[in-house]
Amino acid sequence: MRQLRKWASSALFALLSLSASSQLRHLADRRRILVGAAVNPVYLSEPAYAETLAREYNMVEAEDAMKWTALRPDANTFNFTEADKIVAFAAAHAMKVRGHTLVWARHNPEWLEKSLAQDRPRLLHEHIERTVEHFRGHVFAWDVVNEALDEHGKLRPSIWSTRPDYVEQAFRWAHEADPKALLFYNEAEAENLGEKSDALYAMAKDFKKRGIPIDGIGMQLHILDLKFDSKSVAANIARLAALGLQVHITELDVAIASEKDLGLQAEIYGQVANVCLSNPGCTAIQTWGFTDKYSWIGWYTNHTKGDALPFDRQYRPKPAYQALTEALRADN
Ligand code: XIL
């Protein structure tokens, strides 16, 4: 009897959480906005992971599987096997795929870090060409360059910056390899108005003026301190959109240190969604993962924070999830 009751209550719970969820993607379609999550192909074989992802999201992005470390075991090899699993999953569930990322200062294989500076432009051109061509027709938008600016908005020294025009060159090469793909510049901590976002804006404006093929700006939005300035972010989105650029929220997560902050976390999720929804130039809201079971935040904060995503470790929707659905449902 006790067993039966236990079974009945867990079946009821599953049913309730299913009807409470399965809304996000449906609501996003109605608002003509993309709602995405960064994913790891290893977990696609976990039924709850795959089911939640397919049911709730109309877009996916590779968390790590399209980075140089994953695609380029050595200078002569391209290994697309893992990344292709994401593309296949997306095709099977009518989801769009964002590509991330063709150029970054970090997460590069050792052989590349050790390569001669004079060889890197050629290596980069080849990497962009082969990768973008491989995913042509499957990846609708690329983060071409990631985090090229430092906190003052200056070009960050890296293996790439020995050639100072590498950012615009990367956009040209990506455009040649797939003229239909939307090309994004993705940046961290440039969401609010300020020195860094001013520099990013100036760069984007200059690119547009000179005909560098850029279509959008990715705002990462990793929120680690439970603070979000709606007005400032809205103004920043507005000025970028006025250049004719799209904005994607690309890596949203809201880290918390205690369960008591689940409510505040939800409020922030709602505010972010509202800011994006209130400007037609903001066309996608994506979180960095979707379940607290798998999130980089624990690792990144030395396990002082976590639980940053809309689903808990058992794939149950959290208040943050409800806040997202409420924002999508409201006509703002
Ligand atoms: C992170 C991944 O989540 C981790 O799995 C990996 O170990 C390091 O990279 N900004 C980015 C993302 O653009 O690519 C980073 O992803 C998080 C910060």
Side-chain angles (χ1 to χ4, degrees):
M1 181 64 186
R2 190 189 286 155
Q3 213 36 43
L4 188 66
R5 215 183 299 143
K6 209 167 138 201
W7 179 85
S9 79
S10 68
L12 185 66
F13 176 79
L15 211 67
L16 282 175
S17 58
L18 196 73
S19 62
S21 55
S22 73
Q23 297 281 358
L24 216 49
R25 154 174 208 171
H26 169 70
L27 293 168
D29 285 344
R30 274 201 347 210
R31 298 294 297 269
R32 294 179 200 285
I33 194 162
L34 294 165
V35 60
V39 300
N40 185 330
V42 168
Y43 307 134
L44 292 174
S45 54
E46 186 182 321
Y49 186 94
E51 275 160 28
T52 309
L53 184 65
R55 189 184 71 220
E56 299 288 344
Y57 295 91
N58 56 17
M59 180 173 82
V60 278
E61 175 166 314
E63 181 169 356
D64 291 308
M66 290 188 191
K67 290 174 182 165
W68 278 74
T69 31
L71 299 183
R72 304 299 304 281
D74 60 62
N76 304 313
T77 312
F78 283 79
N79 181 355
F80 294 115
T81 321
E82 289 303 296
D84 284 346
K85 289 183 189 165
I86 296 175
V87 173
F89 184 89
H93 300 285
M95 304 160 102
K96 293 208 169 200
V97 182
R98 271 192 113 258
H100 173 84
T101 175
L102 298 167
V103 193
W104 193 16
R106 298 170 51 199
H107 290 272
N108 289 315
E110 220 179 292
W111 66 262
L112 178 65
E113 305 256 355
K114 286 189 181 147
S115 63
L116 296 175
Q118 70 204 51
D119 289 341
R120 284 192 209 122
R122 181 184 53 79
L123 287 167
L124 184 58
H125 188 181
E126 184 192 36
H127 180 79
I128 291 178
E129 189 172 85
R130 291 275 303 270
T131 305
V132 173
E133 273 177 7
H134 176 82
F135 293 109
R136 189 163 54 201
H138 300 288
V139 164
F140 85 107
W142 275 104
D143 284 338
V144 178
V145 180
N146 195 33
E147 300 179 1
L149 303 176
D150 70 11
E151 64 271 36
H152 302 295
K154 301 266 177 286
L155 202 62
R156 194 186 282 282
S158 75
I159 57 163
W160 306 117
S161 65
T162 45
R163 180 178 170 159
D165 68 344
Y166 83 91
V167 177
E168 61 185 80
Q169 199 52 58
F171 278 86
R172 288 198 196 94
W173 287 331
H175 185 67
E176 277 165 22
D178 183 357
K180 289 201 181 127
L182 297 174
L183 304 183
F184 280 71
Y185 174 84
N186 194 48
E187 190 51 271
E189 290 161 6
E191 296 88 16
N192 289 323
L193 297 175
E195 202 182 5
K196 188 170 184 178
S197 66
D198 286 352
L200 170 55
Y201 173 73
M203 182 179 84
K205 193 173 175 184
D206 172 59
F207 278 16
K208 286 298 273 183
K209 202 175 97 198
R210 290 192 295 118
I212 312 292
I214 185 169
D215 300 289
I217 300 295
M219 290 187 173
Q220 292 189 5
L221 263 184
H222 293 289
I223 299 177
L224 297 163
D225 54 4
L226 285 169
K227 289 201 179 93
F228 180 68
D229 185 344
S230 286
K231 269 197 183 155
S232 189
V233 177
N236 197 19
I237 291 177
R239 67 175 172 173
L240 292 166
L243 294 176
L245 293 166
Q246 294 190 35
V247 173
H248 283 177
I249 309 288
T250 51
E251 304 186 15
L252 176 65
D253 45 23
V254 182
I256 56 175
S258 138
E259 261 192 20
K260 72 174 178 21
D261 286 327
L262 283 170
L264 189 51
Q265 177 183 57
E267 268 177 45
I268 294 175
Y269 264 94
Q271 288 163 4
V272 172
N274 281 323
V275 165
C276 183
L277 286 160
S278 63
N279 191 315
C282 186
T283 49
I285 304 170
Q286 178 173 256
T287 52
W288 206 240
F290 59 96
T291 165
D292 290 335
K293 190 172 179 184
Y294 306 116
S295 157
W296 80 307
I297 288 293
W299 167 80
Y300 187 65
T301 64
N302 244 327
H303 299 282
T304 56
K305 290 183 183 171
D307 296 346
L309 292 163
F311 290 89
D312 72 10
R313 282 156 217 261
Q314 279 76 44
Y315 297 93
R316 290 174 304 208
K318 292 163 59 181
Y321 172 90
Q322 307 302 347
L324 286 175
T325 59
E326 273 160 35
L328 285 165
R329 221 176 265 125
D331 230 340
N332 45 3

